[in-house]
Amino acid sequence: MSQPSCSAWPTPRTLALAATALGLLALLALHLLLALLSGLAAFALHRSLLQGLAARLPAGQARRLAMLLVLLAFGIGLAALVEGVAELSATSASGGLPRMMQLVIDTLDKLRASSPDWLATRLPTSALALHDAVSGWLHTHMAELQLWGNHTLRGLAYVLAGFVIGFLVAIDETRTPAATPFAQAWRASLQSLVAAFASVATAQLRIAAVNTLFTALYLLLALPLLGQPIPLASTLVVITFLASLLPIVGNLVSNTAIVLVSLTVSPWLGLVSLGFLVTVHKLEYFLNAHIVGSRIHVRTYELLAAMLVMDAVFGLAGLVAAPIYYAWLSQQWRADDASA
């Protein structure tokens, strides 16, 4: 009986790609997308710094300085987060919360004056009534709020853990050579994944710029020309840019802020802002696919289909991960075609 040929067995590259693909799907199934994105960001940052420094410094100094700069960026980010929480607490303690409550009450007064009777009778009529309504809602949804708080803390822990893991993997890659063909193939697959992440992140920066431009034209130009300027317009433009760096979720955050501030001017302006944002972001959904697709060298309809399938299977996390996963997969296809 003849023995099976060696070519019938999977190659180290095939095994490495299969392991990477299964790992990526498992991370989504285990709700670890934040850890993955944070780890990829740490790896990409370290590699980018190391490549830039290696052209100017000896290898040892470049490695040490790259490590120091990544740790410095991590410390600055952590300090900014702590400072933001502390500032929020200080603002509430110094009277920021009462001012916010008064703004909400003024907005409700405007809504009550321009709303139909069936809606006006359901709105709180005073600060005490608003307090009672909020307290009742909090009491009714206490379990959900506790769960949301736990998820938030867990998400922050995943981000921190992912960054540390990605940083350690990046250091190990520069110090320890791959000893086996599988290890070499796995590292090549990991580098391809990091490259895909970097391409998508660069495209997301362009998307944030486009989104911010549309928002600035609406808030800073269109509304003042119509005689309906809203407060904090410049701040909302900055928030839009920063939030748009986060795919999908960022748009929800910035849109909510814009609609709420618009409601403080008038209910109808809130509806107009909501309609504008919905229309613009529906158009941007296809624009985003085009920008990301051109960056990762895939067709727009392919990326839209991948986003649709990933959203159906994994929900919002799948929608966020789809461009990165499909960019990595398309790179493997192109590599196979080039070697064929």
Side-chain angles (χ1 to χ4, degrees):
M1 181 180 295
S2 61
Q3 298 293 327
S5 63
C6 294
S7 60
W9 296 95
T11 63
R13 180 175 182 275
T14 301
L15 292 175
L17 293 180
T20 304
L22 290 176
L24 291 175
L25 294 177
L27 288 172
L28 278 180
L30 295 173
H31 309 290
L32 292 174
L33 178 63
L34 286 176
L36 172 64
L37 297 179
S38 180
L40 290 175
F43 193 107
L45 178 61
H46 180 271
R47 187 180 66 173
S48 178
L49 290 172
L50 183 59
Q51 290 175 349
L53 294 171
R56 299 172 176 83
L57 298 173
Q61 294 182 11
R63 282 196 300 267
R64 287 190 292 271
L65 184 56
M67 290 171 52
L68 179 62
L69 291 176
V70 172
L71 291 175
L72 181 62
F74 177 76
I76 291 174
L78 188 60
L81 178 62
V82 174
E83 179 65 22
V85 174
E87 184 176 352
L88 181 61
S89 301
T91 300
S92 299
S94 63
L97 187 57
R99 288 197 298 269
M100 184 181 298
M101 289 290 291
Q102 185 60 47
L103 181 61
V104 172
I105 292 171
D106 294 341
T107 303
L108 289 175
D109 289 338
K110 295 177 181 179
L111 286 173
R112 192 181 303 106
S114 58
S115 299
D117 293 338
W118 62 268
L119 178 59
T121 56
R122 297 175 181 270
L123 296 176
T125 58
S126 64
L128 180 60
L130 177 61
H131 179 271
D132 292 340
V134 172
S135 298
W137 186 90
L138 291 175
H139 179 74
T140 304
H141 298 83
M142 185 60 66
E144 290 88 343
L145 290 173
Q146 290 177 346
L147 182 62
W148 180 83
N150 291 335
H151 285 331
T152 301
L153 293 176
R154 185 180 301 172
L156 291 175
Y158 287 162
V159 169
L160 296 176
F163 193 95
V164 172
I165 293 172
F167 177 58
L168 293 177
V169 172
I171 294 175
D172 180 71
E173 185 196 38
T174 60
R175 289 181 173 178
T176 308
T180 64
F182 175 80
Q184 295 174 358
W186 184 83
R187 285 193 174 180
S189 178
L190 177 61
Q191 292 172 353
S192 178
L193 179 62
V194 173
F197 169 80
S199 297
V200 173
T202 302
Q204 190 63 40
L205 184 62
R206 295 181 181 179
I207 292 168
V210 172
N211 189 22
T212 304
L213 175 62
F214 284 138
T215 303
L217 290 175
Y218 175 70
L219 297 180
L220 302 179
L221 183 61
L223 291 184
L225 288 177
L226 295 174
Q228 295 289 334
I230 66 173
L232 303 175
S234 300
T235 302
L236 288 173
V237 172
V238 175
I239 291 175
T240 298
F241 175 76
L242 296 177
S244 297
L245 297 176
L246 298 174
I248 310 302
V249 179
N251 282 341
L252 296 177
V253 173
S254 60
N255 290 356
T256 301
I258 292 172
V259 171
L260 289 178
V261 174
S262 299
L263 283 173
T264 64
V265 177
S266 72
W268 299 114
L269 184 59
L271 291 176
V272 169
S273 296
L274 179 61
F276 168 80
L277 294 170
V278 168
T279 302
V280 167
H281 290 303
K282 287 299 182 183
L283 295 175
E284 284 187 359
Y285 188 83
F286 296 95
L287 180 62
N288 292 357
H290 174 71
I291 293 175
V292 176
S294 62
R295 182 70 186 182
I296 64 178
H297 307 295
V298 300
R299 294 178 176 87
T300 302
Y301 69 84
E302 294 178 4
L303 185 55
L304 283 172
M307 294 168 67
L308 180 63
V309 172
M310 293 288 284
D311 178 57
V313 177
F314 296 105
L316 181 60
L319 186 62
V320 173
I324 300 172
Y325 284 25
Y326 194 74
W328 172 78
L329 187 61
S330 64
Q331 287 180 4
Q332 310 314 313
W333 288 336
R334 288 195 297 271
D336 289 338
D337 291 340
S339 61

